[in-house]
Amino acid sequence: MPTPTPASLSPAQAAARLEEFTVIDVRAPGEYASGHVPGALNIPLDKLPDALPALKSASARGSLLVVCASGVRSTRACEILAGADIEAVTLTGGTSAWEGDGRGLDQPEGARSAWPMERQVRLAAGSLVVAGLAAGVRFPAARWLSAGVGAGLVYAAVSDTCGMAAVLSKLPHNRAPRAVGDLDATLAELQR
């Protein structure tokens, strides 16, 4: 049975009701630190299963609004939450649409900007494909690198998961400053 599409709100709808929500940003800590919806708490998508008890507690007190860069990861997060009987809505278009609608993003003091994860994946995948093709001129077997990246992209599209994004999220530039990326503090705040 297909998973139902989670409810979503446009940036204008979400902004009008922002104080009603506990906002959860499921991007990597570095992406979150580069700018997030005001009041959003950061729980990266790969850490969401660890946060389910705290999110259940928070949802008992009010609605959850889940946010990412474009809406893809937040939709996946809402599906995971629905599987745990936690209601949540997603922000259509994510922080990109929020900012594009003329709404400001909060950024911690001293935080540096990181590229959105989708852009990082495109750069890494494209670079690997070009490297495989270039090396394939001298070493024909190197073309398998390009084929492997292509197959990985097809799998990512079909499964709606991205192994490359999971790896890239571990890089130092995708980590937030210690004060921002403290998941334990975020979970404690959700349970208050």
Side-chain angles (χ1 to χ4, degrees):
M1 173 160 65
T3 307
T5 303
S8 62
L9 295 175
S10 70
Q13 293 168 320
R17 300 177 43 204
L18 195 58
E19 59 282 337
E20 296 175 27
F21 293 107
T22 298
V23 183
I24 306 298
D25 191 318
V26 295
R27 297 177 297 160
E31 291 178 283
Y32 169 83
S34 68
H36 55 270
V37 171
L41 301 171
N42 185 222
I43 301 175
L45 184 58
D46 64 335
K47 303 290 185 191
L48 200 62
D50 300 334
L52 290 176
L55 291 167
K56 186 119 178 138
S57 176
S59 71
R61 294 186 308 274
S63 300
L64 299 180
L65 174 65
V66 184
V67 179
C68 67
S70 66
V72 173
R73 286 176 280 178
S74 60
T75 298
R76 177 69 187 124
C78 285
E79 292 167 355
I80 292 168
L81 293 171
D85 293 325
I86 301 171
E87 281 190 43
V89 296
T90 185
L91 177 64
T92 303
T95 55
S96 298
W98 179 271
E99 193 172 28
D101 202 36
R103 304 189 187 286
L105 297 175
D106 284 353
Q107 185 175 18
E109 183 105 10
R112 60 188 184 275
S113 291
W115 281 3
M117 189 57 64
E118 291 87 357
R119 186 174 180 190
Q120 293 180 48
V121 168
R122 289 191 307 264
L123 175 67
S127 297
L128 289 170
V129 167
V130 169
L133 290 173
V137 171
R138 176 99 165 110
F139 307 102
R143 292 185 185 137
W144 284 104
L145 173 63
S146 300
V149 171
L153 291 171
V154 169
Y155 177 77
V158 170
S159 67
D160 200 23
T161 62
C162 186
M164 189 176 288
V167 170
L168 291 172
S169 71
K170 306 293 185 209
L171 294 175
H173 67 272
N174 281 323
R175 294 193 182 142
R178 289 197 191 278
V180 175
D182 186 0
L183 183 60
D184 291 333
T186 299
L187 298 179
E189 186 173 336
L190 284 172
Q191 292 182 331
R192 288 186 202 160

